[in-house]
């Protein structure tokens, strides 16, 4: 034990030999109007000699070896304190674990407990409590949704988390949805069923969203029979086999393209469970996706036979199905006869007509039905504009797409993050980034939250065209929106600076990424290094090489540290 204490003391002493000095990226050029910190690692002769003359053979890897490597490689600040020690007792042995986890996120610390192979539920729960992590539903979701925890570990962690004060006071059906989704996504169906039983014991009854999570998990895994079997066992979990739960099952089957199974089960349940118009519309919508007009007509007759008149939703599915079957003219006839049948077309019907014509690039006819909507005082919906804009972008009619986007915003229809991303993505695949920036700026102006994916698409496109002034503005706005910069973001910035010859600033950004634990790819490093060599900056290129070498060895050591489970 005394020898181990001396090793740790030496380890900490060596950390203090590492020095940093901060710089800021602040150019007189108007392109760089904000600052960020970078850190340069001062030369360490002994460290350089070690890298230039590596040992010919490696001793067996143990904990002390990794500690020694980390003391040389990891950029730990001087304020680092002595790692705390705590002892976990078990019936078999005593484990002494050193909490060297400054570079771990809260969810990684919690997941790391299960890498320790601790024996007994009590030992694991004590170790989880000792992490001192401030729990929230978001952190619980990150723990169970990421990493490679097994089903038993996920359930054990969730049960521990729900007993903690921060979660216990807000525990409800939404918390259980988090673990059910995670278990279902990884096909831990036995544990998922166990959680349903736990919910019943807690007095929490499943709602329609709960049933959709469970049944969709089976259907997504192509276990259709298990999903249908689960429907028959709903009473065991405090739910009912009624019309609402039947519609949930049919919707899950149709969304995953198992329309045949949905139709067969619908026929099987006829007379046992009462249907409604939604029940038939779900199955009709499933057949509409495949343009199966015969099956649509069969269900339409059955629907009318049960006393349900087709509504606008039914007609919209029928018209879209005709369009997918190449019978657009028949769809027009159905549309024209709707008022005679006592059903005035609404936005869903007009959207179906617009989709049929834009799908075959007949934009004049599509816009004709859009204008019909306006003249008939039928207010367009967000889906109306989404379909039109997506069709215009696919046909590269950018001016028309932006015009429709402006009209959508003028009507007070605010798209969500996913919709804005779907508009920006095609614009970043062809032509200059000007149009994509217009969509981005207009969306931000009306208060729409831009996704991190959209920010990365913009940064990549701006980087390719060397628009570094715009790139830095978008990067700054991304960080203000709460999105952290990862290695992909740094690579886009470095690439853009290289494209316009700002090599010194590119080096500073690369050093910033290394300081934050992100090692740029070999492609980006090679591009910057080659440009430095072509500019006769051999010494600068060599210093950059040494820093990247240290960063990559540090990254490898960090991976080994995590893989061995030597953290809490």
């Amino acid at each position: 034990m005394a020898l181990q204490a001396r090793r740790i003391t030496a380890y900490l002493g060596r950390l203090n030999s590492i020095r940093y000095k901060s710089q800021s990226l602040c150019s007189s050029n108007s392109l760089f109007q904000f600052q960020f910190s970078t850190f340069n690692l001062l030369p360490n002769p002994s460290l350089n000699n070690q890298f230039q003359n590596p040992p010919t053979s490696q001793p067996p890897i143990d904990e002390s070896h990794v500690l020694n490597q980390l003391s040389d490689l990891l950029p730990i600040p001087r304020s680092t304190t002595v790692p705390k020690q705590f002892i976990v007792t078990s019936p078999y042995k005593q484990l002494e674990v050193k909490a060297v986890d400054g570079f771990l996120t809260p969810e990684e610390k919690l997941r790391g407990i299960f890498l320790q192979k601790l024996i007994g539920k009590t030992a694991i729960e004590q170790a989880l409590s000792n992490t001192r992590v401030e729990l929230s539903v978001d952190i619980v979701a990150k723990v169970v949704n990421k990493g490679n925890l097994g089903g038993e570990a996920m359930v054990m962690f969730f049960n521990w988390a729900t007993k903690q004060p921060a979660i216990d006071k807000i525990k409800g059906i939404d918390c259980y949805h988090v673990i059910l989704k995670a278990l279902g996504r990884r096909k831990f169906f036995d544990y998922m069923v166990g959680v349903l039983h736990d919910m019943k014991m807690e007095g929490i009854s499943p709602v329609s969203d709960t049933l959709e999570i469970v049944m969709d998990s089976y259907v997504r895994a192509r276990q259709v029979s298990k999903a249908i079997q689960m429907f028959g066992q709903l009473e065991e979990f405090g739910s009912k086999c009624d019309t609402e739960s039947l519609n949930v099952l049919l919707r899950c089957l149709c969304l995953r393209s198992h329309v045949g199974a949905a139709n067969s089960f619908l026929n099987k349940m006829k007379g046992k469970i009462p249907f409604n118009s939604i029940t038939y519309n779900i199955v009709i919508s499933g057949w509409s996706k495949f343009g199966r007009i015969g099956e649509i007509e069969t269900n339409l007759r059955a629907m009318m036979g049960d006393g349900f008149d087709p509504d606008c939703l039914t007609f919209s599915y029928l018209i879209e199905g005709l369009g997918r079957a190449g019978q657009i003219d028949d769809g027009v006839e159905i549309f024209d006869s709707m008022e005679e049948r006592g059903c005035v077309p609404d936005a869903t019907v007009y959207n179906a007509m617009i989709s049929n014509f834009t799908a075959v690039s007949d934009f004049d006819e599509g816009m004709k039905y859009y204008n019909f909507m306006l003249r008939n005082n039928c207010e367009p919906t967000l889906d109306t504009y989404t379909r039109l804009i997506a069709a215009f972008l696919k046909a590269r009619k950018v001016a028309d797409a932006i015009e429709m986007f402006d009209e959508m915003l003028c009507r007070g229809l605010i798209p969500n993050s996913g919709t804005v991303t779907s508009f920006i993505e095609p614009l970043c695949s062809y032509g200059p980034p000007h149009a994509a920036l217009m969509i981005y700026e207009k969306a931000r102006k009306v208060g729409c939250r831009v996704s991190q994916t959209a920010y990365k698409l913009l940064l990549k496109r701006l980087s390719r065209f060397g628009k570094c002034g715009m790139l830095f503005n978008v990067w700054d706005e991304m960080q203000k929106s709460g999105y952290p910069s990862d290695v992909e973001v740094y690579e886009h910035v470095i690439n853009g600076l290289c494209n316009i010859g700002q090599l010194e600033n590119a080096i500073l950004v690369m050093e910033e990424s290394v300081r934050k634990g992100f090692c740029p790819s070999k492609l980006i490093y090679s591009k910057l290094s080659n440009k430095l060599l072509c500019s006769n900056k051999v010494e600068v290129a060599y210093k950059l090489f040494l820093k990247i070498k240290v960063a990559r060895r540090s990254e490898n050591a960090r991976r080994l540290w995590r893989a061995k489970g030597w953290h809490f």
Side-chain angles (χ1 to χ4, degrees):
M1 186 64 71
L3 177 60
Q4 188 179 37
R6 287 196 296 272
R7 288 180 180 174
I8 295 176
T9 303
Y11 156 66
L12 293 172
R14 294 166 68 183
L15 287 179
N16 290 333
S17 65
I18 300 177
R19 298 291 184 268
Y20 303 89
K21 69 175 183 178
S22 62
Q23 298 179 354
S24 62
L25 181 57
C26 182
S27 172
S28 58
N29 193 320
S30 61
L31 296 180
F32 310 104
Q33 298 177 355
F34 67 97
Q35 297 180 348
F36 60 92
S37 61
T38 58
F39 281 73
N40 288 334
L41 187 64
L42 293 179
N44 189 333
S46 62
L47 184 60
N48 292 339
N49 292 336
Q50 179 183 350
F51 290 155
Q52 293 172 0
N53 300 292
T56 56
S57 61
Q58 293 288 343
I61 296 177
D62 58 12
E63 184 175 346
S64 61
H65 173 71
V66 174
L67 286 174
N68 290 333
Q69 290 295 316
L70 291 177
S71 68
D72 287 334
L73 300 176
L74 290 180
I76 303 176
R78 293 183 58 187
S79 60
T80 302
T81 58
V82 178
K84 298 180 180 179
Q85 294 182 347
F86 62 92
I87 299 175
V88 179
T89 58
S90 71
Y92 302 97
K93 62 180 179 179
Q94 220 177 35
L95 297 176
E96 182 176 273
V97 186
K98 282 161 278 299
V100 187
D101 57 1
F103 52 83
L104 297 178
T105 61
E107 57 269 21
E108 287 175 333
K109 294 177 184 178
L110 293 168
R111 277 198 302 270
I113 297 300
F114 296 93
L115 298 176
Q116 304 298 321
K117 306 300 182 184
L118 301 177
I119 300 175
K121 180 180 177 181
T122 303
I124 294 174
E125 291 185 347
Q126 181 183 355
L128 288 169
S129 300
N130 287 334
T131 58
R132 303 292 190 270
V133 171
E134 295 184 7
L135 280 179
S136 65
V137 176
D138 182 58
I139 290 179
V140 172
K142 289 180 180 179
V143 171
V144 297
N145 286 324
K146 298 180 180 179
N148 57 352
L149 293 182
E152 183 179 3
M154 292 169 67
V155 173
M156 185 181 297
F157 167 76
F158 179 77
N159 290 336
W160 168 82
T162 53
K163 296 175 185 176
Q164 307 309 305
I167 304 297
D168 183 58
K169 62 183 180 182
I170 60 173
K171 183 174 66 174
I173 191 69
D174 292 335
C175 287
Y176 281 99
H177 286 171
V178 169
I179 187 64
L180 287 172
K181 284 181 182 179
L183 292 170
R185 188 182 299 113
R186 299 187 185 183
K187 304 179 183 179
F188 296 141
F189 298 124
D190 292 339
Y191 293 102
M192 184 175 67
V193 173
V195 172
L196 290 174
H197 284 295
D198 293 341
M199 289 175 58
K200 184 179 180 181
M201 294 178 64
E202 292 284 339
I204 301 177
S205 300
V207 296
S208 58
D209 289 342
T210 314
L211 301 181
E212 186 170 356
I213 291 170
V214 174
M215 292 179 181
D216 188 61
S217 298
Y218 282 116
V219 177
R220 186 173 57 248
R222 299 186 179 276
Q223 298 190 20
V224 177
S225 59
K226 288 288 185 67
I228 295 174
Q229 183 180 355
M230 174 61 67
F231 174 79
Q233 299 173 345
L234 288 180
E235 293 184 358
E236 298 180 13
F237 308 108
S239 188
K240 297 179 180 179
C241 297
D242 55 9
T243 306
E244 183 180 7
S245 58
L246 173 63
N247 291 345
V248 170
L249 174 61
L250 295 177
R251 188 179 298 108
C252 292
L253 291 171
C254 290
L255 286 176
R256 301 289 178 181
S257 300
H258 295 283
V259 192
N263 208 152
S264 298
F265 190 69
L266 177 71
N267 296 332
K268 184 179 179 180
M269 290 292 105
K270 192 167 187 178
K272 300 178 182 179
I273 296 177
F275 299 163
N276 56 20
S277 60
I278 298 176
T279 308
Y280 285 105
N281 278 336
I282 290 172
V283 178
I284 290 173
S285 70
W287 289 121
S288 174
K289 293 179 181 179
F290 297 97
R292 301 285 290 272
I293 304 303
E295 285 78 2
I296 292 176
E297 292 177 349
T298 300
N299 283 278
L300 189 58
R301 285 194 295 268
M303 179 180 181
M304 298 176 69
D306 279 354
F308 302 110
D309 291 330
D311 53 16
C312 286
L313 201 58
T314 311
F315 281 111
S316 69
Y317 294 143
L318 176 58
I319 292 171
E320 278 196 277
L322 289 168
R324 289 190 174 94
Q327 303 176 26
I328 297 180
D329 293 337
D330 293 337
V332 174
E333 291 182 11
I334 296 293
F335 176 84
D336 293 337
S337 66
M338 282 185 61
E339 291 192 19
E340 298 177 3
R341 299 172 184 269
C343 185
V344 179
D346 66 358
T348 59
V349 179
Y350 282 106
N351 292 345
M353 295 298 297
I354 291 171
S355 292
N356 282 354
F357 287 107
T358 55
V360 294
S361 299
D362 192 347
F363 294 100
D364 291 336
E365 284 294 313
M367 289 301 297
K368 183 179 78 173
Y369 282 95
Y370 170 74
N371 293 324
F372 281 170
M373 292 180 68
L374 302 181
R375 286 200 297 267
N376 294 332
N377 296 322
C378 180
E379 193 69 22
T381 63
L382 186 62
D383 188 42
T384 307
Y385 291 105
T386 300
R387 296 187 186 205
L388 280 170
I389 294 171
F392 282 132
L393 292 177
K394 185 177 180 180
R396 301 195 177 189
K397 294 179 176 291
V398 178
D400 293 326
I402 294 178
E403 182 181 352
M404 295 307 299
F405 188 77
D406 288 337
E407 189 165 345
M408 177 183 68
L409 298 181
C410 288
R411 291 183 176 274
L413 299 174
I414 309 300
N416 57 30
S417 297
T419 303
V420 173
T421 303
S422 69
F423 296 159
I424 291 177
E425 185 173 9
L427 289 173
C428 288
S429 63
Y430 56 80
H434 178 67
L437 283 172
M438 288 182 65
I439 296 290
Y440 161 74
E441 292 291 351
K442 293 174 185 292
R444 287 187 71 250
K445 188 175 181 180
V446 297
C448 178
R449 180 172 174 80
V450 181
S451 68
Q452 188 177 30
T453 302
Y455 276 114
K456 289 183 178 181
L457 288 169
L458 289 170
L459 291 175
K460 183 178 181 180
R461 199 65 179 172
L462 292 168
S463 170
R464 179 176 179 182
F465 281 81
K467 303 289 186 180
C468 286
M470 299 177 184
L471 183 147
F472 273 82
N473 288 333
V474 172
W475 187 21
D476 188 31
E477 291 164 359
M478 183 192 79
Q479 295 177 95
K480 289 179 179 178
S481 298
Y483 296 120
S485 299
D486 56 14
V487 64
E488 190 176 357
V489 172
Y490 281 112
E491 287 179 356
H492 294 330
V493 176
I494 295 169
N495 185 53
L497 291 170
C498 287
N499 288 339
I500 63 172
Q502 293 278 349
L503 303 184
E504 293 81 4
N505 290 326
I507 293 173
L508 293 176
V509 176
M510 184 168 287
E511 290 175 348
E512 169 80 1
S513 69
V514 169
R515 180 183 67 81
K516 291 189 176 181
F518 303 120
C519 189
S521 65
K522 293 182 179 180
L523 180 64
I524 294 296
Y525 163 70
S526 298
K527 181 174 183 176
L528 177 56
S529 180
N530 290 336
K531 285 185 174 290
L532 288 172
L533 293 175
C534 292
S535 302
N536 294 323
K537 298 181 178 180
V538 180
E539 184 178 356
V540 176
Y542 179 69
K543 290 180 179 179
L544 180 63
F545 162 74
L546 293 179
K547 292 178 181 179
I548 294 299
K549 186 176 181 180
V550 169
R552 286 179 179 160
R553 292 189 58 143
S554 173
E555 185 177 10
N556 293 335
R558 192 180 289 115
R559 288 174 181 171
L560 175 62
W561 182 269
R562 290 175 177 173
K564 292 295 184 180
W566 293 329
H567 54 71
F568 262 73

